[in-house]
Amino acid sequence: MIIQKTREEIELMRESALIVSKTLGMLAKEVKPGVTTLYLDKLAEEFIRDHGAVPGFLGLYDFPNTLCMSPNEQVVHGFPTDVPLVEGDIISIDCGAVKNEFYGDHAYTFAVGEIDKDTEKLLQVTKESLYVGIREFKLGNRVGDVGYAIQQYCESHGYGVVRELVGHGLGKTMHEDPEMPNYGRRGRGKKFIEGMVVAIEPMINMGTHRIQQHRDGWTITTKDKQPSAHFEHNVALVDGKPELLSTFGYIYDALGIESDEENEFRQKALVL
Ligand code: MG
Ligand code: MG
Protein backbone atom coordinates (compact mmCIF):
# COMPACT_ATOMS: atom_id res chain seq x y z
CA MET A 1 0.00 0.00 0.00
CA ILE A 2 1.32 3.44 -0.93
CA ILE A 3 1.55 5.72 2.12
CA GLN A 4 0.51 9.31 1.37
CA LYS A 5 2.31 12.07 3.27
CA THR A 6 0.81 15.34 4.45
CA ARG A 7 2.39 18.67 3.44
CA GLU A 8 3.97 18.84 6.90
CA GLU A 9 5.44 15.37 6.55
CA ILE A 10 6.78 16.22 3.10
CA GLU A 11 8.57 19.23 4.61
CA LEU A 12 10.12 16.94 7.25
CA MET A 13 11.19 14.59 4.48
CA ARG A 14 12.77 17.52 2.66
CA GLU A 15 14.82 18.16 5.80
CA SER A 16 16.05 14.55 5.85
CA ALA A 17 16.75 14.64 2.12
CA LEU A 18 18.76 17.85 2.40
CA ILE A 19 20.98 16.38 5.11
CA VAL A 20 21.91 13.67 2.61
CA SER A 21 22.34 16.28 -0.14
CA LYS A 22 24.71 18.28 2.09
CA THR A 23 26.62 15.14 3.03
CA LEU A 24 27.19 14.34 -0.66
CA GLY A 25 28.25 17.97 -1.20
CA MET A 26 30.79 17.68 1.62
CA LEU A 27 32.09 14.42 0.11
CA ALA A 28 32.39 15.97 -3.37
CA LYS A 29 35.35 18.00 -2.12
CA GLU A 30 37.01 14.91 -0.62
CA VAL A 31 36.69 12.46 -3.53
CA LYS A 32 40.15 12.38 -5.11
CA PRO A 33 42.97 9.97 -5.92
CA GLY A 34 44.61 8.49 -2.81
CA VAL A 35 41.56 8.79 -0.55
CA THR A 36 39.98 5.60 0.83
CA THR A 37 36.25 5.02 0.84
CA LEU A 38 36.48 4.02 4.51
CA TYR A 39 37.81 7.52 5.29
CA LEU A 40 34.92 9.08 3.35
CA ASP A 41 32.53 6.86 5.29
CA LYS A 42 33.86 8.19 8.62
CA LEU A 43 33.51 11.79 7.41
CA ALA A 44 29.93 11.15 6.34
CA GLU A 45 28.91 9.54 9.62
CA GLU A 46 30.29 12.48 11.63
CA PHE A 47 28.69 15.00 9.29
CA ILE A 48 25.25 13.36 9.52
CA ARG A 49 25.39 13.14 13.31
CA ASP A 50 26.59 16.78 13.54
CA HIS A 51 23.45 17.73 11.62
CA GLY A 52 21.18 16.11 14.19
CA ALA A 53 20.43 13.02 12.13
CA VAL A 54 21.35 9.34 12.20
CA PRO A 55 22.98 7.42 9.32
CA GLY A 56 20.14 5.66 7.52
CA PHE A 57 22.00 2.61 6.20
CA LEU A 58 24.14 1.80 9.25
CA GLY A 59 22.64 -1.35 10.76
CA LEU A 60 19.78 -1.47 8.24
CA TYR A 61 19.49 -5.11 7.15
CA ASP A 62 22.80 -5.41 9.10
CA PHE A 63 24.71 -3.14 6.68
CA PRO A 64 27.90 -2.20 8.58
CA ASN A 65 28.58 1.34 7.28
CA THR A 66 27.13 4.79 6.67
CA LEU A 67 27.69 4.82 2.91
CA CYS A 68 27.34 2.30 0.13
CA MET A 69 30.49 2.77 -1.92
CA SER A 70 30.50 1.17 -5.34
CA PRO A 71 33.52 1.87 -7.57
CA ASN A 72 33.76 1.20 -11.31
CA GLU A 73 32.10 -2.16 -12.17
CA GLN A 74 30.29 -2.29 -8.83
CA VAL A 75 26.64 -1.33 -9.35
CA VAL A 76 25.42 -0.72 -5.79
CA HIS A 77 25.70 -1.96 -2.18
CA GLY A 78 29.52 -2.00 -2.10
CA PHE A 79 31.29 -1.64 1.25
CA PRO A 80 33.71 1.17 2.11
CA THR A 81 37.27 -0.26 2.07
CA ASP A 82 40.85 0.81 2.81
CA VAL A 83 41.75 0.63 -0.90
CA PRO A 84 42.62 4.15 -2.12
CA LEU A 85 40.74 5.60 -5.08
CA VAL A 86 42.87 6.12 -8.17
CA GLU A 87 42.73 8.64 -10.99
CA GLY A 88 40.22 7.53 -13.61
CA ASP A 89 37.95 5.62 -11.18
CA ILE A 90 34.31 6.36 -10.78
CA ILE A 91 32.69 5.95 -7.39
CA SER A 92 28.94 5.67 -6.77
CA ILE A 93 28.15 6.96 -3.30
CA ASP A 94 24.73 6.14 -1.87
CA CYS A 95 23.82 7.82 1.42
CA GLY A 96 20.90 7.66 3.82
CA ALA A 97 19.95 9.72 6.86
CA VAL A 98 17.06 9.67 9.31
CA LYS A 99 15.70 12.75 11.03
CA ASN A 100 12.26 13.22 12.63
CA GLU A 101 11.75 9.50 11.87
CA PHE A 102 11.88 10.11 8.10
CA TYR A 103 14.49 8.77 5.68
CA GLY A 104 16.47 10.64 3.08
CA ASP A 105 18.21 8.37 0.53
CA HIS A 106 20.08 9.45 -2.55
CA ALA A 107 23.13 8.77 -4.62
CA TYR A 108 25.62 10.33 -7.00
CA THR A 109 28.41 8.85 -9.10
CA PHE A 110 31.60 10.89 -8.90
CA ALA A 111 34.59 10.97 -11.23
CA VAL A 112 37.93 10.53 -9.45
CA GLY A 113 40.20 13.04 -11.21
CA GLU A 114 40.07 12.74 -15.00
CA ILE A 115 38.01 9.89 -16.44
CA ASP A 116 37.82 8.59 -20.01
CA LYS A 117 35.24 10.00 -22.42
CA ASP A 118 33.13 6.83 -22.60
CA THR A 119 32.73 6.68 -18.84
CA GLU A 120 31.97 10.40 -18.70
CA LYS A 121 29.18 9.80 -21.22
CA LEU A 122 27.79 6.96 -19.09
CA LEU A 123 27.60 9.28 -16.07
CA GLN A 124 25.99 12.05 -18.09
CA VAL A 125 23.35 9.83 -19.71
CA THR A 126 22.52 8.06 -16.43
CA LYS A 127 21.97 11.41 -14.70
CA GLU A 128 19.87 12.67 -17.60
CA SER A 129 17.78 9.50 -17.42
CA LEU A 130 17.01 10.28 -13.78
CA TYR A 131 15.34 13.53 -14.83
CA VAL A 132 13.66 11.84 -17.80
CA GLY A 133 12.12 9.48 -15.25
CA ILE A 134 11.20 12.19 -12.73
CA ARG A 135 9.35 14.09 -15.47
CA GLU A 136 6.92 11.13 -15.74
CA PHE A 137 6.25 11.03 -11.98
CA LYS A 138 2.98 12.93 -12.11
CA LEU A 139 -0.70 12.46 -11.47
CA GLY A 140 -2.39 10.37 -14.19
CA ASN A 141 0.75 8.29 -14.74
CA ARG A 142 1.77 4.92 -13.38
CA VAL A 143 4.95 3.22 -12.20
CA GLY A 144 5.54 1.77 -15.69
CA ASP A 145 5.65 5.24 -17.27
CA VAL A 146 8.71 6.22 -15.24
CA GLY A 147 10.46 2.92 -15.89
CA TYR A 148 9.64 2.99 -19.59
CA ALA A 149 11.05 6.51 -20.00
CA ILE A 150 14.31 5.67 -18.20
CA GLN A 151 14.76 2.41 -20.09
CA GLN A 152 14.12 3.93 -23.53
CA TYR A 153 16.52 6.77 -22.86
CA CYS A 154 19.37 4.57 -21.63
CA GLU A 155 18.92 1.79 -24.17
CA SER A 156 18.90 4.36 -27.00
CA HIS A 157 22.50 5.05 -25.93
CA GLY A 158 23.31 1.33 -25.97
CA TYR A 159 23.46 0.94 -22.19
CA GLY A 160 22.16 -1.88 -20.00
CA VAL A 161 19.37 -1.19 -17.49
CA VAL A 162 19.74 -3.26 -14.32
CA ARG A 163 16.59 -5.31 -13.68
CA GLU A 164 17.13 -6.85 -10.26
CA LEU A 165 17.45 -3.57 -8.32
CA VAL A 166 14.80 -0.88 -8.30
CA GLY A 167 13.79 2.46 -6.80
CA HIS A 168 11.14 2.57 -4.09
CA GLY A 169 8.68 4.52 -2.00
CA LEU A 170 10.31 6.35 0.90
CA GLY A 171 9.06 7.49 4.30
CA LYS A 172 9.42 6.26 7.87
CA THR A 173 10.92 3.12 6.37
CA MET A 174 13.61 3.01 3.69
CA HIS A 175 11.72 0.81 1.30
CA GLU A 176 8.01 1.47 1.02
CA ASP A 177 5.52 0.71 -1.66
CA PRO A 178 5.72 1.04 -4.65
CA GLU A 179 8.78 -0.52 -6.23
CA MET A 180 10.05 1.81 -8.96
CA PRO A 181 11.86 -0.22 -11.65
CA ASN A 182 14.02 1.56 -14.20
CA TYR A 183 12.34 -0.42 -16.96
CA GLY A 184 8.71 -1.08 -17.75
CA ARG A 185 5.75 -0.59 -19.99
CA ARG A 186 3.76 2.58 -20.48
CA GLY A 187 0.50 2.77 -18.57
CA ARG A 188 1.27 -0.31 -16.47
CA GLY A 189 1.76 -0.73 -12.74
CA LYS A 190 0.48 1.18 -9.73
CA LYS A 191 -1.15 4.58 -10.19
CA PHE A 192 0.65 7.57 -8.70
CA ILE A 193 -1.21 9.42 -5.95
CA GLU A 194 -0.89 12.89 -4.45
CA GLY A 195 1.46 13.08 -1.44
CA MET A 196 3.50 9.97 -2.23
CA VAL A 197 7.30 10.16 -1.98
CA VAL A 198 9.67 7.99 -3.97
CA ALA A 199 13.36 7.41 -4.55
CA ILE A 200 13.97 7.26 -8.31
CA GLU A 201 17.37 5.71 -8.98
CA PRO A 202 18.55 4.51 -12.38
CA MET A 203 21.39 1.96 -12.15
CA ILE A 204 22.84 1.86 -15.64
CA ASN A 205 25.63 -0.31 -17.05
CA MET A 206 27.92 0.56 -19.93
CA GLY A 207 27.56 -2.98 -21.27
CA THR A 208 25.21 -5.81 -20.41
CA HIS A 209 22.36 -5.25 -17.95
CA ARG A 210 23.34 -8.50 -16.27
CA ILE A 211 24.79 -8.37 -12.78
CA GLN A 212 26.20 -10.73 -10.19
CA GLN A 213 26.26 -10.67 -6.42
CA HIS A 214 29.49 -11.21 -4.49
CA ARG A 215 29.83 -13.90 -1.86
CA ASP A 216 29.73 -11.13 0.79
CA GLY A 217 25.97 -11.10 0.19
CA TRP A 218 25.95 -7.38 -0.63
CA THR A 219 28.22 -6.13 -3.39
CA ILE A 220 26.66 -6.18 -6.86
CA THR A 221 28.88 -5.95 -9.94
CA THR A 222 28.27 -5.97 -13.67
CA LYS A 223 28.60 -9.41 -15.22
CA ASP A 224 30.97 -8.11 -17.94
CA LYS A 225 33.02 -5.96 -15.48
CA GLN A 226 32.27 -2.78 -17.44
CA PRO A 227 31.45 0.32 -15.37
CA SER A 228 28.05 1.13 -13.90
CA ALA A 229 26.56 4.45 -12.77
CA HIS A 230 23.89 5.29 -10.18
CA PHE A 231 22.08 8.58 -9.58
CA GLU A 232 19.18 8.94 -7.16
CA HIS A 233 16.79 11.69 -6.08
CA ASN A 234 13.92 11.84 -3.59
CA VAL A 235 10.74 13.19 -5.13
CA ALA A 236 7.29 14.01 -3.73
CA LEU A 237 4.11 14.25 -5.75
CA VAL A 238 2.73 17.72 -4.89
CA ASP A 239 -0.20 19.36 -6.72
CA GLY A 240 0.00 16.57 -9.25
CA LYS A 241 3.62 17.31 -10.17
CA PRO A 242 7.07 16.03 -9.18
CA GLU A 243 8.66 18.13 -6.43
CA LEU A 244 12.35 17.41 -5.78
CA LEU A 245 13.17 17.06 -2.09
CA SER A 246 16.88 16.36 -2.64
CA THR A 247 19.41 18.41 -4.58
CA PHE A 248 22.77 17.92 -6.26
CA GLY A 249 23.30 21.66 -5.78
CA TYR A 250 25.75 21.19 -2.90
CA ILE A 251 27.83 18.87 -5.08
CA TYR A 252 27.82 21.38 -7.94
CA ASP A 253 28.76 24.18 -5.53
CA ALA A 254 31.70 22.14 -4.29
CA LEU A 255 32.85 21.27 -7.82
CA GLY A 256 32.20 24.71 -9.33
CA ILE A 257 29.57 23.37 -11.78
CA GLU A 258 26.71 25.55 -13.05
CA SER A 259 23.48 23.63 -13.55
CA ASP A 260 19.79 24.38 -13.89
CA GLU A 261 18.79 20.73 -14.35
CA GLU A 262 16.63 20.72 -11.19
CA ASN A 263 14.72 23.96 -11.75
CA GLU A 264 11.69 22.48 -13.50
CA PHE A 265 11.10 20.17 -10.52
CA ARG A 266 10.92 22.87 -7.85
CA GLN A 267 7.74 24.71 -7.05
CA LYS A 268 9.74 27.24 -5.07
CA ALA A 269 13.38 28.24 -5.43
CA LEU A 270 15.87 26.36 -3.28
CA VAL A 271 18.26 28.56 -1.36
CA LEU A 272 21.51 26.68 -0.73
MG1 MG B 1 20.05 5.05 -2.18
MG1 MG C 1 17.13 4.17 -2.73
Short mmCIF file of all heavy atoms in Angstrom, two decimals, residues 19-57:
data_model
loop_
_atom_site.label_atom_id
_atom_site.label_comp_id
_atom_site.label_asym_id
_atom_site.label_seq_id
_atom_site.Cartn_x
_atom_site.Cartn_y
_atom_site.Cartn_z
N ILE A 19 19.80 16.81 4.34
CA ILE A 19 20.98 16.38 5.11
C ILE A 19 21.83 15.44 4.25
O ILE A 19 23.05 15.57 4.19
CB ILE A 19 20.56 15.72 6.44
CG1 ILE A 19 20.02 16.80 7.38
CG2 ILE A 19 21.75 14.99 7.09
CD1 ILE A 19 19.37 16.29 8.64
N VAL A 20 21.17 14.54 3.53
CA VAL A 20 21.91 13.67 2.61
C VAL A 20 22.55 14.49 1.49
O VAL A 20 23.73 14.30 1.15
CB VAL A 20 20.98 12.57 2.02
CG1 VAL A 20 21.73 11.74 0.99
CG2 VAL A 20 20.45 11.68 3.14
N SER A 21 21.81 15.43 0.94
CA SER A 21 22.34 16.28 -0.14
C SER A 21 23.60 17.01 0.33
O SER A 21 24.59 17.10 -0.40
CB SER A 21 21.30 17.30 -0.59
OG SER A 21 20.13 16.68 -1.05
N LYS A 22 23.55 17.55 1.55
CA LYS A 22 24.71 18.28 2.09
C LYS A 22 25.88 17.34 2.35
O LYS A 22 27.04 17.70 2.15
CB LYS A 22 24.33 18.98 3.41
CG LYS A 22 23.45 20.18 3.22
CD LYS A 22 23.01 20.76 4.57
CE LYS A 22 21.95 21.82 4.34
NZ LYS A 22 21.33 22.27 5.61
N THR A 23 25.56 16.13 2.79
CA THR A 23 26.62 15.14 3.03
C THR A 23 27.35 14.83 1.72
O THR A 23 28.58 14.80 1.66
CB THR A 23 26.04 13.85 3.64
OG1 THR A 23 25.27 14.19 4.80
CG2 THR A 23 27.14 12.88 4.04
N LEU A 24 26.58 14.63 0.65
CA LEU A 24 27.19 14.34 -0.66
C LEU A 24 28.00 15.55 -1.15
O LEU A 24 29.05 15.40 -1.76
CB LEU A 24 26.12 13.95 -1.68
CG LEU A 24 25.42 12.61 -1.42
CD1 LEU A 24 24.27 12.40 -2.41
CD2 LEU A 24 26.40 11.43 -1.52
N GLY A 25 27.51 16.75 -0.84
CA GLY A 25 28.25 17.97 -1.20
C GLY A 25 29.58 18.05 -0.47
O GLY A 25 30.61 18.41 -1.04
N MET A 26 29.55 17.70 0.81
CA MET A 26 30.79 17.68 1.62
C MET A 26 31.77 16.66 1.03
O MET A 26 32.97 16.93 0.89
CB MET A 26 30.42 17.35 3.07
CG MET A 26 31.54 17.21 4.06
SD MET A 26 32.34 15.59 4.07
CE MET A 26 31.02 14.55 4.71
N LEU A 27 31.23 15.48 0.65
CA LEU A 27 32.09 14.42 0.11
C LEU A 27 32.67 14.79 -1.25
O LEU A 27 33.78 14.37 -1.59
CB LEU A 27 31.29 13.11 0.00
CG LEU A 27 30.88 12.48 1.33
CD1 LEU A 27 29.88 11.35 1.09
CD2 LEU A 27 32.09 11.97 2.11
N ALA A 28 31.93 15.59 -2.01
CA ALA A 28 32.39 15.97 -3.37
C ALA A 28 33.78 16.59 -3.31
O ALA A 28 34.60 16.38 -4.22
CB ALA A 28 31.40 16.93 -4.01
N LYS A 29 34.04 17.34 -2.25
CA LYS A 29 35.35 18.00 -2.12
C LYS A 29 36.44 17.00 -1.73
O LYS A 29 37.63 17.26 -1.91
CB LYS A 29 35.28 19.07 -1.03
CG LYS A 29 34.62 20.35 -1.51
CD LYS A 29 34.61 21.40 -0.42
CE LYS A 29 33.19 21.73 -0.13
NZ LYS A 29 32.87 22.47 1.05
N GLU A 30 36.05 15.87 -1.18
CA GLU A 30 37.01 14.91 -0.62
C GLU A 30 37.33 13.76 -1.57
O GLU A 30 38.30 13.02 -1.36
CB GLU A 30 36.46 14.32 0.69
CG GLU A 30 36.07 15.35 1.74
CD GLU A 30 37.28 16.04 2.34
OE1 GLU A 30 38.39 15.47 2.30
OE2 GLU A 30 37.12 17.17 2.84
N VAL A 31 36.47 13.56 -2.58
CA VAL A 31 36.69 12.46 -3.53
C VAL A 31 37.86 12.82 -4.43
O VAL A 31 37.75 13.72 -5.26
CB VAL A 31 35.42 12.20 -4.38
CG1 VAL A 31 35.71 11.23 -5.51
CG2 VAL A 31 34.29 11.66 -3.51
N LYS A 32 38.98 12.15 -4.25
CA LYS A 32 40.15 12.38 -5.11
C LYS A 32 41.09 11.18 -5.02
O LYS A 32 40.97 10.35 -4.11
CB LYS A 32 40.86 13.68 -4.73
CG LYS A 32 41.18 13.83 -3.27
CD LYS A 32 41.60 15.27 -2.96
CE LYS A 32 41.42 15.57 -1.49
NZ LYS A 32 41.11 16.93 -1.16
N PRO A 33 42.04 11.10 -5.95
CA PRO A 33 42.97 9.97 -5.92
C PRO A 33 43.70 9.91 -4.57
O PRO A 33 44.06 10.94 -4.02
CB PRO A 33 43.96 10.29 -7.05
CG PRO A 33 43.22 11.19 -7.98
CD PRO A 33 42.30 11.99 -7.12
N GLY A 34 43.87 8.69 -4.05
CA GLY A 34 44.61 8.49 -2.81
C GLY A 34 43.72 8.38 -1.58
O GLY A 34 44.16 7.90 -0.53
N VAL A 35 42.48 8.82 -1.69
CA VAL A 35 41.56 8.79 -0.55
C VAL A 35 40.88 7.41 -0.48
O VAL A 35 40.54 6.84 -1.51
CB VAL A 35 40.51 9.91 -0.71
CG1 VAL A 35 39.32 9.71 0.20
CG2 VAL A 35 41.16 11.27 -0.44
N THR A 36 40.69 6.87 0.73
CA THR A 36 39.98 5.60 0.83
C THR A 36 38.49 5.84 1.08
O THR A 36 38.10 6.86 1.67
CB THR A 36 40.52 4.72 1.99
OG1 THR A 36 40.13 5.31 3.24
CG2 THR A 36 42.04 4.60 1.94
N THR A 37 37.70 4.88 0.65
CA THR A 37 36.25 5.02 0.84
C THR A 37 35.87 4.85 2.31
O THR A 37 34.85 5.38 2.76
CB THR A 37 35.49 4.03 -0.05
OG1 THR A 37 36.06 2.72 0.10
CG2 THR A 37 35.58 4.44 -1.50
N LEU A 38 36.72 4.16 3.06
CA LEU A 38 36.48 4.02 4.51
C LEU A 38 36.63 5.39 5.20
O LEU A 38 35.86 5.73 6.10
CB LEU A 38 37.47 3.01 5.09
CG LEU A 38 37.03 2.15 6.26
CD1 LEU A 38 35.65 1.55 6.09
CD2 LEU A 38 38.04 1.01 6.49
N TYR A 39 37.62 6.17 4.76
CA TYR A 39 37.81 7.52 5.29
C TYR A 39 36.59 8.39 4.97
O TYR A 39 36.08 9.11 5.84
CB TYR A 39 39.09 8.12 4.71
CG TYR A 39 39.27 9.59 4.98
CD1 TYR A 39 39.62 10.06 6.25
CD2 TYR A 39 39.08 10.53 3.97
CE1 TYR A 39 39.78 11.42 6.49
CE2 TYR A 39 39.23 11.89 4.20
CZ TYR A 39 39.58 12.33 5.47
OH TYR A 39 39.72 13.67 5.71
N LEU A 40 36.10 8.30 3.74
CA LEU A 40 34.92 9.08 3.35
C LEU A 40 33.70 8.67 4.18
O LEU A 40 32.88 9.50 4.56
CB LEU A 40 34.63 8.89 1.86
CG LEU A 40 35.73 9.36 0.89
CD1 LEU A 40 35.36 8.99 -0.55
CD2 LEU A 40 35.96 10.87 1.01
N ASP A 41 33.63 7.38 4.49
CA ASP A 41 32.53 6.86 5.29
C ASP A 41 32.53 7.48 6.70
O ASP A 41 31.49 7.86 7.23
CB ASP A 41 32.65 5.34 5.37
CG ASP A 41 31.43 4.70 6.00
OD1 ASP A 41 30.37 4.67 5.35
OD2 ASP A 41 31.53 4.25 7.15
N LYS A 42 33.72 7.57 7.28
CA LYS A 42 33.86 8.19 8.62
C LYS A 42 33.40 9.64 8.58
O LYS A 42 32.68 10.11 9.47
CB LYS A 42 35.34 8.17 9.06
CG LYS A 42 35.84 6.84 9.58
CD LYS A 42 35.73 6.80 11.11
CE LYS A 42 35.87 5.37 11.64
NZ LYS A 42 34.86 4.44 11.09
N LEU A 43 33.89 10.38 7.56
CA LEU A 43 33.51 11.79 7.41
C LEU A 43 32.00 11.94 7.33
O LEU A 43 31.40 12.82 7.95
CB LEU A 43 34.12 12.38 6.14
CG LEU A 43 35.62 12.63 6.08
CD1 LEU A 43 35.97 13.28 4.74
CD2 LEU A 43 36.08 13.51 7.23
N ALA A 44 31.38 11.06 6.55
CA ALA A 44 29.93 11.15 6.34
C ALA A 44 29.17 10.87 7.63
O ALA A 44 28.21 11.57 7.96
CB ALA A 44 29.50 10.17 5.25
N GLU A 45 29.62 9.86 8.38
CA GLU A 45 28.91 9.54 9.62
C GLU A 45 28.96 10.73 10.59
O GLU A 45 27.93 11.12 11.15
CB GLU A 45 29.50 8.28 10.28
CG GLU A 45 28.77 7.98 11.58
CD GLU A 45 29.13 6.66 12.25
OE1 GLU A 45 29.97 5.91 11.72
OE2 GLU A 45 28.54 6.40 13.32
N GLU A 46 30.15 11.31 10.75
CA GLU A 46 30.29 12.48 11.63
C GLU A 46 29.41 13.63 11.17
O GLU A 46 28.74 14.27 11.98
CB GLU A 46 31.75 12.97 11.60
CG GLU A 46 32.66 12.33 12.63
CD GLU A 46 34.11 12.77 12.44
OE1 GLU A 46 34.35 13.96 12.11
OE2 GLU A 46 34.97 11.90 12.57
N PHE A 47 29.43 13.87 9.87
CA PHE A 47 28.69 15.00 9.29
C PHE A 47 27.19 14.83 9.55
O PHE A 47 26.50 15.77 9.95
CB PHE A 47 28.98 15.07 7.79
CG PHE A 47 28.42 16.29 7.12
CD1 PHE A 47 29.17 17.44 7.01
CD2 PHE A 47 27.14 16.28 6.58
CE1 PHE A 47 28.66 18.58 6.38
CE2 PHE A 47 26.62 17.40 5.96
CZ PHE A 47 27.39 18.55 5.84
N ILE A 48 26.69 13.63 9.33
CA ILE A 48 25.25 13.36 9.52
C ILE A 48 24.87 13.55 10.99
O ILE A 48 23.87 14.19 11.31
CB ILE A 48 24.89 11.95 9.01
CG1 ILE A 48 25.00 11.90 7.48
CG2 ILE A 48 23.51 11.53 9.47
CD1 ILE A 48 24.97 10.50 6.88
N ARG A 49 25.70 13.02 11.88
CA ARG A 49 25.39 13.14 13.31
C ARG A 49 25.47 14.60 13.75
O ARG A 49 24.65 15.07 14.55
CB ARG A 49 26.32 12.26 14.15
CG ARG A 49 26.09 10.76 13.89
CD ARG A 49 26.78 9.89 14.94
NE ARG A 49 26.80 8.48 14.56
CZ ARG A 49 25.76 7.64 14.67
NH1 ARG A 49 24.61 8.06 15.16
NH2 ARG A 49 25.88 6.38 14.30
N ASP A 50 26.47 15.35 13.23
CA ASP A 50 26.59 16.78 13.54
C ASP A 50 25.37 17.57 13.08
O ASP A 50 25.13 18.67 13.57
CB ASP A 50 27.84 17.38 12.87
CG ASP A 50 29.12 16.96 13.56
OD1 ASP A 50 29.03 16.37 14.66
OD2 ASP A 50 30.21 17.19 13.00
N HIS A 51 24.65 17.04 12.12
CA HIS A 51 23.45 17.73 11.62
C HIS A 51 22.17 17.19 12.27
O HIS A 51 21.07 17.36 11.73
CB HIS A 51 23.38 17.64 10.09
CG HIS A 51 24.33 18.58 9.43
ND1 HIS A 51 25.70 18.34 9.38
CD2 HIS A 51 24.14 19.79 8.84
CE1 HIS A 51 26.30 19.36 8.76
NE2 HIS A 51 25.38 20.24 8.44
N GLY A 52 22.34 16.53 13.41
CA GLY A 52 21.18 16.11 14.19
C GLY A 52 20.41 14.95 13.59
O GLY A 52 19.22 14.78 13.87
N ALA A 53 21.09 14.17 12.76
CA ALA A 53 20.43 13.02 12.13
C ALA A 53 21.23 11.76 12.43
O ALA A 53 22.30 11.81 13.05
CB ALA A 53 20.30 13.24 10.63
N VAL A 54 20.71 10.64 11.99
CA VAL A 54 21.35 9.34 12.20
C VAL A 54 21.59 8.72 10.83
O VAL A 54 20.73 8.83 9.94
CB VAL A 54 20.41 8.43 13.04
CG1 VAL A 54 20.96 7.03 13.16
CG2 VAL A 54 20.17 9.04 14.42
N PRO A 55 22.77 8.09 10.61
CA PRO A 55 22.98 7.42 9.32
C PRO A 55 21.86 6.42 9.03
O PRO A 55 21.51 5.62 9.91
CB PRO A 55 24.32 6.69 9.51
CG PRO A 55 25.03 7.48 10.56
CD PRO A 55 23.94 7.96 11.50
N GLY A 56 21.31 6.48 7.84
CA GLY A 56 20.14 5.66 7.52
C GLY A 56 20.46 4.22 7.15
O GLY A 56 19.62 3.34 7.31
N PHE A 57 21.66 3.97 6.64
CA PHE A 57 22.00 2.61 6.20
C PHE A 57 22.66 1.79 7.30
O PHE A 57 22.56 0.57 7.30
CB PHE A 57 22.96 2.63 5.00
CG PHE A 57 22.43 3.33 3.76
CD1 PHE A 57 23.27 3.67 2.72
CD2 PHE A 57 21.08 3.64 3.64
CE1 PHE A 57 22.79 4.30 1.58
CE2 PHE A 57 20.59 4.28 2.51
CZ PHE A 57 21.46 4.61 1.47
#
